[in-house]
Amino acid sequence: MNDNMHRKDFIKTAIAALATVPLFGGAARAQEADRPKDDASEPTHDMSQFPENWTRPDVIIMILYPGFTALDLIGPQYFFGSLMGAKVHLAAKTLEPVLTDTGVSIMPTIKFQDCPKSCDVLFVPGACQGMLDAIDDKETMDLIRSRGEAARYVTSVCTGSIILGAAGLLEGYKATSHWVTRPMLHHFGAVETDERVVIDRNRITAAGVSAGLDLGLHLTLKLRDEFYARTMQLLAEYAPAPPFDYGTPDRFKKEELDMIRGMFGGFVKKTDALGQKHAKEK
Amino acid sequence: MNDNMHRKDFIKTAIAALATVPLFGGAARAQEADRPKDDASEPTHDMSQFPENWTRPDVIIMILYPGFTALDLIGPQYFFGSLMGAKVHLAAKTLEPVLTDTGVSIMPTIKFQDCPKSCDVLFVPGACQGMLDAIDDKETMDLIRSRGEAARYVTSVCTGSIILGAAGLLEGYKATSHWVTRPMLHHFGAVETDERVVIDRNRITAAGVSAGLDLGLHLTLKLRDEFYARTMQLLAEYAPAPPFDYGTPDRFKKEELDMIRGMFGGFVKKTDALGQKHAKEK
């Protein structure tokens, strides 16, 4: 939709149409169990009332693996789950609940082996040790590599970009990661870039954990349009106001940063060693 | 800990101690199934190495009900799950997965009937129709009322404050809610306040959905200290950078807002009617 053309008429039609769709989320609510297409409980609103690009049947695959960070996933999933017409798959090795690294367990909706062969968006969340274990797991990496090679967008939050790198998907692309693992991206042929959300052609990587909300908005913009994305920002009331401003490493003293890095224990060394090994074997 | 006193010595000790605790999250990882206290897999690090207020055994009850918004819960849970020494309960009527309004299902860790009788933090997420259904459910409301009356902090994100109000927990308190339901808070005796996170004595309510991240930081500050909270902000890399600035209603034209409100369908009217009924019966 052209942003200025016929807006008033369009809005009149849209109000009537949207009144039947709670929160852009009617479509989302039908996704809970990857219902078959002929399920009578699929949303029945007349999608033809919307601009065509508002209801595109995008296929989105979000990867779940043991120990991933719940907020890495749920930030973008809030936005993906509100894309009318889209199908969001939460894919894991089995349909058992997946335990995240803050102690909450999330249900997959589909097994890797049943995943669609192609998708519009592949999304990989981050973790600490769980990220290294995922890279060691052939089935997980095979799925990420095969779907990533053909996806319209290949995306990650936090250390998820190290997984994309290990799958060979960031070779020659600008990318970011959690600040702790960002300096290791070059081992995987990626060009380390210090931005909140890094977009290089169809690779879209976000910084640590909370950057998933910004990624979600950027992707809504790409998959729908600016009005849709702005509306989603309002529905999420995303006007952040943290009580202080300590979200980046440059806000800390060196001794404090050393301490905080120390909290990651062997994780930093192990990830760096993995990267060096990857670089040598290339 | 005094912020300036002995910081250098303290940090030296803390680095050694923290090296054994991945991401403040060692404690969190032991919470997955509300393990009994004598479980051998509880974290074994020597908690006496930390400042006393870093490892307080806070009891946090987060309420899950059908149709709640996943991001309302997972934003604060990221921070709660990283409070060393704390126990985070995800409480629901049964231990079955709870389907949220964006299509992801989350596992409870404890049944309402098994919930601790008192807690440091009671937390209630928001929803649309699911919020109204929760208010209609006696068992859910009895739990929220009884735990809320005795909790050190009574907290919510988004329309969760309407649930707190309906439970009689906001009478005479300043509070906020999602921008769509904020004008209805007065029905419940609350003083509508247009701030991202509203703190009035021990009632802490946050605005819509994404405001849960800000709530999480405010509570980390109250339950631990400023250094702990700043460190959590860095671990979450919470330096938000949305692609545009449309997170509040004042950024939209009246006709656009009318359209967006229209998307909520009967929800706005139903919530207002509920509030009026509550006000009359008081």
Side-chain angles (χ1 to χ4, degrees), chain B:
Chain B
M1 180 182 62
N2 179 305
D3 201 52
N4 298 309
M5 195 179 62
H6 311 310
R7 160 151 299 220
K8 220 167 167 179
D9 281 352
F10 164 71
I11 285 178
K12 259 197 217 159
T13 318
I15 292 178
L18 284 170
T20 68
V21 185
L23 271 183
F24 283 178
R29 218 153 308 170
Q31 291 163 354
E32 65 262 40
D34 291 289
R35 293 192 184 125
K37 278 270 173 272
D38 57 353
D39 187 321
S41 58
E42 284 279 313
T44 53
H45 5 278
D46 178 5
M47 292 289 198
S48 67
Q49 293 178 90
F50 299 107
E52 204 181 327
N53 68 335
W54 276 28
T55 58
R56 227 170 7 209
D58 295 311
V59 173
I60 299 176
I61 300 179
M62 305 187 84
I63 304 292
L64 273 57
Y65 57 85
F68 79 90
T69 302
L71 184 51
D72 287 17
L73 179 93
I74 298 297
Q77 198 274 339
Y78 176 82
F79 297 94
F80 297 166
S82 300
L83 299 175
M84 292 187 291
K87 185 90 170 173
V88 181
H89 298 279
L90 305 175
K93 282 181 87 165
T94 73
L95 294 181
E96 292 298 301
V98 180
L99 177 62
T100 68
D101 70 352
T102 54
V104 55
S105 291
I106 293 179
M107 297 296 293
T109 60
I110 198 167
K111 283 192 264 189
F112 286 162
Q113 65 192 61
D114 299 327
C115 253
K117 296 290 172 239
S118 68
C119 63
D120 294 279
V121 178
L122 174 73
F123 170 83
V124 180
C128 283
Q129 183 58 43
M131 179 272 277
L132 296 170
D133 296 341
I135 290 174
D136 267 346
D137 187 82
K138 189 177 178 316
E139 190 185 346
T140 305
M141 295 306 279
D142 282 351
L143 186 95
I144 291 172
R145 194 175 296 111
S146 64
R147 299 319 189 265
E149 280 166 356
R152 238 170 98 210
Y153 296 105
V154 176
T155 70
S156 67
V157 164
C158 202
T159 65
S161 57
I162 300 293
I163 298 181
L164 293 182
L169 293 167
L170 292 182
E171 192 72 48
Y173 287 87
K174 286 195 231 173
T176 191
S177 195
H178 192 278
W179 61 271
V180 166
T181 46
R182 202 182 302 139
M184 299 164 202
L185 281 169
H186 71 94
H187 292 313
F188 305 97
V191 183
E192 178 193 337
T193 306
D194 183 11
E195 283 164 27
R196 185 87 173 147
V197 175
V198 175
I199 304 178
D200 184 358
R201 289 155 285 168
N202 76 335
R203 270 35 170 193
I204 309 183
T205 52
V209 193
S210 60
L213 279 78
D214 300 313
L215 178 96
L217 273 179
H218 276 283
L219 271 159
T220 304
L221 194 53
K222 290 200 175 285
L223 296 170
R224 296 295 180 264
D225 59 24
E226 189 158 328
F227 183 68
Y228 202 109
R230 287 176 178 178
T231 302
M232 285 309 305
Q233 186 174 21
L234 179 61
L235 292 180
E237 209 161 348
Y238 187 39
F244 26 64
D245 174 24
Y246 285 83
T248 50
D250 58 295
R251 301 281 295 123
F252 287 78
K253 291 180 204 145
K254 191 192 168 301
E255 59 184 16
E256 292 170 334
L257 269 189
D258 286 346
M259 170 191 159
I260 294 166
R261 262 200 211 91
M263 289 166 45
F264 289 87
F267 170 76
V268 176
K269 273 188 194 159
K270 278 192 248 173
T271 307
D272 196 58
L274 171 87
Q276 290 191 31
K277 188 165 167 273
H278 182 98
K280 260 186 213 156
E281 286 172 2
K282 230 168 22 194

Side-chain angles (χ1 to χ4, degrees), chain A residues 217-236:
Chain A
L217 274 178
H218 276 282
L219 271 159
T220 304
L221 195 53
K222 289 198 175 286
L223 296 170
R224 296 295 180 265
D225 60 23
E226 188 158 327
F227 184 69
Y228 202 110
R230 286 175 177 178
T231 302
M232 285 309 306
Q233 185 174 21
L234 179 61
L235 293 180

